[in-house]
Amino acid sequence: MQALVYTANEQMTFREEPDAQSIGPGEALVQIEAVGICGSDMHAYLGHDPRRVPPLILGHEAAGVVLEGDDAGRRVVLNPLITCGHCDYCLDGRQNLCPERDLIGMYRPGAFAERIAIPRTNLIDIPQGMDAAAAALTEPAATAVHAVNLAGRALAGPVNEAKALVIGGGSVGLFAALALRDQGAAEIMLADTNPLRRDVATRVGTAAVINPVDQPAPKSYFNLVIDAVGGRTSRQAAIAAVTPGGVIMHIGLLDSEEGLDIRRITLQEITLIGTYTYTPVDLRATLAKLHSGAFGSLDWIDQRSLGDGPAAFKELHAGKCAAPKVILRP
Ligand SMILES: [Zn+2]
Ligand SMILES: [Zn+2]
């Protein structure tokens, strides 16, 4: 089969790979129809993720069709997070914290390929008539939905009374703004330094859009700040922008250090919550939301063939890609 393989730092190679083999018991072989490029794939491509060692087929935001067995013909979104199913976290519905969690495109082959083998329990049915590219947005959108839901439990008041700042206008940031709108947030601002991303966010129209370089977000103003970048500068901005007693949701994984004003966090009783991926329930709920139109038209996705993947990675790295999400179609 043809696959897009991360072969070395800043090198993606479209080439022939051994076909995905089914199949242990309980696994399904899925023909990939659409697969998104994630910020974490970019991170790996740049050699910044020690968990992803080349040569490796990346990609975990996928939708496709089951090829064989009892499920043949089912159109499905893949839950890329493979968990043990029997630890306390899994049994408690917090599968994203399973100590044995694995992700496709990390320690095992990912979905930048024609086919993939994956546990049947990781398949989620796509609603009838829904386009595969839209369905492939489920994973990044669910990451945002999970964060907004967790924030809802930590905020002092309801989400619909919250003033919210989202830092980062990639797909997770954009979906965070859309999920906040869906939950009726009183005020939503989105900050991004990339003018192309700001244009798209403005067109989507879900938030007031700012360039934080020219116009820093108002200080001590937002009950909720979602950091979908996760770097030193964005953390500094988040801590400056949040109100006393407010909540910061930290989603981005740009780097691990610096930018935390622990003194302000302490003196102002700021809640800082790290949030990682989603649960199977989040994925299902998010797929239904995407299908219902709750997150708008989704016409901002950029679709290309899998063979154009290497060029797409270069463009994304150069900051020349306007779309918050590039979807590859094998
Ligand atoms: Zn992702
Ligand atoms: Zn588990």
Side-chain angles (χ1 to χ4, degrees):
M1 65 174 182
Q2 304 225 275
L4 185 62
V5 186
Y6 163 49
T7 42
N9 274 4
E10 298 192 33
Q11 212 168 311
M12 297 296 288
T13 310
F14 185 59
R15 69 184 189 193
E16 197 59 31
E17 283 284 299
D19 214 321
Q21 286 302 322
S22 61
I23 303 284
E27 283 203 320
L29 188 65
V30 176
Q31 179 84 34
I32 301 295
E33 288 190 330
V35 51
I37 300 178
C38 178
S40 66
D41 294 318
M42 279 309 298
H43 209 57
Y45 165 75
L46 298 173
H48 295 162
D49 186 350
R51 302 170 301 177
R52 289 171 164 101
V53 180
L56 177 68
I57 301 174
L58 299 171
H60 56 266
E61 305 178 353
V65 184
V66 179
L67 281 174
E68 47 190 47
D70 293 345
D71 292 322
R74 264 176 80 187
R75 297 183 68 234
V76 291
V77 164
L78 308 188
N79 175 358
L81 209 57
I82 293 164
T83 55
C84 79
H86 50 72
C87 71
D88 286 354
Y89 292 108
C90 283
L91 294 176
D92 197 31
R94 304 174 81 194
Q95 290 87 344
N96 58 329
L97 303 181
C98 174
E100 288 177 38
R101 76 186 180 203
D102 191 2
L103 190 76
I104 62 172
M106 189 173 289
Y107 300 111
R108 55 162 77 205
F112 289 155
E114 290 182 278
R115 286 170 285 284
I116 191 171
I118 190 163
R120 288 177 65 187
T121 48
N122 285 58
L123 306 178
I124 304 163
D125 287 302
I126 296 177
Q128 195 129 42
M130 187 177 185
D131 178 54
L137 295 171
T138 302
E139 198 266 359
T143 301
V145 166
H146 181 74
V148 171
N149 289 344
L150 283 187
R153 283 184 238 155
L155 285 165
V159 173
N160 63 14
E161 287 173 13
K163 290 180 281 191
L165 171 67
V166 177
I167 303 175
S171 62
V172 173
L174 196 56
F175 275 121
L178 289 163
L180 285 163
R181 183 182 66 181
D182 183 51
Q183 295 196 19
E187 201 175 315
I188 309 168
M189 185 175 273
L190 186 146
D192 199 301
T193 54
N194 182 327
L196 299 171
R197 291 277 165 86
R198 285 201 301 277
D199 286 349
V200 175
T202 303
R203 189 156 58 76
V204 171
T206 187
V209 179
I210 60 163
N211 176 1
V213 176
D214 309 338
Q215 182 197 350
K219 285 201 179 357
S220 198
Y221 181 80
F222 298 94
N223 316 94
L224 171 60
V225 181
I226 295 183
D227 183 353
V229 176
R232 182 172 60 87
T233 314
S234 65
R235 279 189 289 273
Q236 281 171 341
I239 290 164
V242 74
T243 51
V247 174
I248 298 171
M249 302 303 298
H250 194 274
I251 312 180
L253 284 166
L254 189 63
D255 62 43
S256 294
E257 318 233 347
E258 301 182 346
L260 280 183
D261 182 348
I262 294 294
R263 199 174 162 79
R264 177 153 205 271
I265 289 175
T266 304
L267 294 174
Q268 304 301 340
E269 286 197 354
I270 290 160
T271 304
L272 174 68
I273 302 178
T275 165
Y276 179 69
T277 64
Y278 32 73
T279 68
V281 173
D282 293 325
L283 287 165
R284 267 192 245 176
T286 302
L287 181 57
K289 284 270 179 201
L290 285 164
H291 184 52
S292 73
F295 296 152
S297 75
L298 312 174
D299 61 357
W300 41 267
I301 57 181
D302 177 343
Q303 299 192 51
R304 307 181 186 196
S305 74
L306 186 62
D308 291 335
F313 270 81
K314 281 208 175 81
E315 226 178 279
L316 282 163
H317 181 39
K320 288 184 182 148
C321 185
K325 182 58 67 186
V326 175
I327 301 271
L328 301 175
R329 304 198 77 139

